Amino acid sequence: MRRLNGRWMLAAIRPGGKPEGLWALPKGRIDEGERGEATALREVAEETGAHGRSLGKLGDVRYTFTWEGERIFKIVSFFLVRYEGGRLGEIPEEFRHEVAEARWLPLEEAPRLLAYGGERDMAKKALARLAELDV
């Protein structure tokens, strides 16, 4: 999250291989010995080119999907990350295959623009948290 011209903006990505206009939040697997919050900070940097500091956990999204005939249960934890630097879209070469595009989206529009329901809910939580923090 960052403020631009008085508006809160959200760093969103279009994952590689997804159609134009499909926006999602950065996320990824927790590395061995890594905590969820550290993973969130690392993934934001890897997938967007921007880096920041955590303002705390927003919540978890739980879902299931089928992969090669096996039912997979997944929990994704989301953290509110305040932008501190870097340039959005300057994605390290080794992660370019994962991300087709990164863009700042207005946070108040994110519940409509993000492709996945759980992520739309996290955007709503981010709006509420920022209002509580009065930052």
Side-chain angles (χ1 to χ4, degrees):
M1 303 294 150
R2 78 178 292 186
R3 271 196 200 270
L4 286 172
N5 301 319
R7 288 175 87 183
W8 281 109
M9 304 296 280
L10 167 80
I13 62 167
R14 180 167 58 90
K18 298 295 183 180
E20 294 280 333
L22 188 145
W23 297 107
L25 298 177
K27 57 190 162 295
R29 294 179 189 258
I30 296 175
D31 287 344
E32 188 174 329
E34 192 175 47
R35 295 179 50 112
E37 191 169 43
T39 300
L41 295 172
R42 177 179 52 77
E43 289 290 337
V44 165
E46 289 175 357
E47 294 186 358
T48 71
H51 60 87
R53 65 183 164 86
S54 174
L55 299 179
K57 187 173 178 176
L58 285 173
D60 296 323
V61 173
R62 293 166 169 79
Y63 61 95
T64 59
F65 62 96
T66 302
W67 179 261
E68 296 180 352
E70 184 179 345
R71 191 167 173 90
I72 308 292
F73 177 71
K74 191 168 189 175
I75 300 173
V76 180
S77 296
F78 288 91
F79 292 81
L80 184 60
V81 176
R82 177 101 189 237
Y83 172 81
E84 289 190 328
R87 183 174 223 154
L88 200 73
E90 286 189 359
I91 301 161
E93 190 61 40
E94 62 267 30
F95 302 107
R96 281 252 161 230
H97 68 282
E98 294 180 22
V99 179
E101 182 180 4
R103 183 180 294 174
W104 290 112
L105 300 178
L107 180 57
E108 71 269 9
E109 295 177 28
R112 178 179 58 82
L113 296 173
L114 292 171
Y116 306 111
E119 294 183 11
R120 292 191 296 266
D121 291 342
M122 290 300 122
K124 292 175 191 171
K125 286 184 177 190
L127 278 166
R129 177 77 57 82
L130 289 168
E132 287 172 9
L133 295 173
D134 194 30
V135 289

